Amino acid sequence: MFEVLVFVYENYWRGDACPELEQLGRKLSAAGFNVEDIQQALSWLDELNLASHKTELIDISQSAREHHTESAHSMRVYSVAEQDHLGAACLGFINFLESADVLSPHMREIVMDRAMAIPGHPMDLDDLKIIVLMVYWSIGLEPDALVLDELCDDADRVAH
């Protein structure tokens, strides 16, 4: 499935440039991906779109209120299931991105949601990097060059 996601990212630079899922499915089939991988990826992308849309609504509603900022002392506590599923390397990478201020709390929660939707554990760090990249993609943000380099350090997977 991750090869399909990489193909989508490389061919549709922004989520809003991506065709509807049915048309995308036909294009992925024509590109030679197997049906099971396409179905998994389309379902995953649909859920990503829903999660991204919810985040946009949260951001809009928070902007309408007085400026609400997270306390500098707040901390995300990961459940045992999340710890088991992601493993130390992936959780450490998420923490690294947050501490570098390149992954907002809302984006982190989308990453967590989409990572938890992937079967098997512990999750491979390269797969998590694709998920982070797809979260950026889905909300129409291009990570800065250093973040993009960190996310795409496996030359065989993403060519940006």
Side-chain angles (χ1 to χ4, degrees), residues 17-158:
C18 190
E20 294 295 321
L21 293 180
E22 186 176 319
Q23 183 182 6
L24 178 60
R26 288 190 301 269
K27 289 183 180 221
L28 293 169
S29 182
F33 292 104
N34 82 38
V35 174
E36 185 178 327
D37 285 344
I38 292 171
Q39 289 173 343
Q40 287 176 340
L42 292 179
S43 176
W44 191 91
L45 285 168
D46 189 39
E47 292 295 320
L48 175 62
N49 185 34
L50 291 173
S52 297
H53 180 69
K54 287 178 188 175
T55 298
E56 289 172 9
L57 295 177
I58 290 169
D59 288 343
I60 290 169
S61 67
Q62 284 183 350
S63 296
R65 290 186 257 142
E66 290 183 29
H67 294 292
H68 171 16
T69 58
E70 223 178 76
S71 167
H73 303 293
S74 66
M75 179 173 75
R76 168 62 152 88
V77 177
Y78 296 99
S79 71
V80 172
E82 291 169 333
Q83 292 175 39
D84 288 345
H85 188 74
L86 273 77
C90 289
L91 290 173
F93 186 71
I94 290 171
N95 185 51
F96 162 72
L97 294 175
E98 282 188 284
S99 66
D101 288 328
V102 296
L103 189 68
S104 72
H106 291 123
M107 289 174 68
R108 177 200 60 223
E109 291 309 310
I110 297 172
V111 168
M112 291 299 299
D113 175 70
R114 296 295 68 223
M116 293 300 290
I118 302 298
H121 61 275
M123 174 167 271
D124 185 72
L125 182 57
D126 288 336
D127 292 344
L128 179 72
K129 288 179 179 184
I130 297 300
I131 291 171
V132 172
L133 196 60
M134 293 305 292
V135 168
Y136 268 97
W137 174 85
S138 72
I139 58 179
L141 293 176
E142 179 74 26
D144 69 34
L146 293 175
V147 173
L148 192 58
D149 186 52
E150 185 65 35
L151 293 173
C152 302
D153 65 353
D154 185 348
D156 294 335
R157 293 193 78 170
V158 180

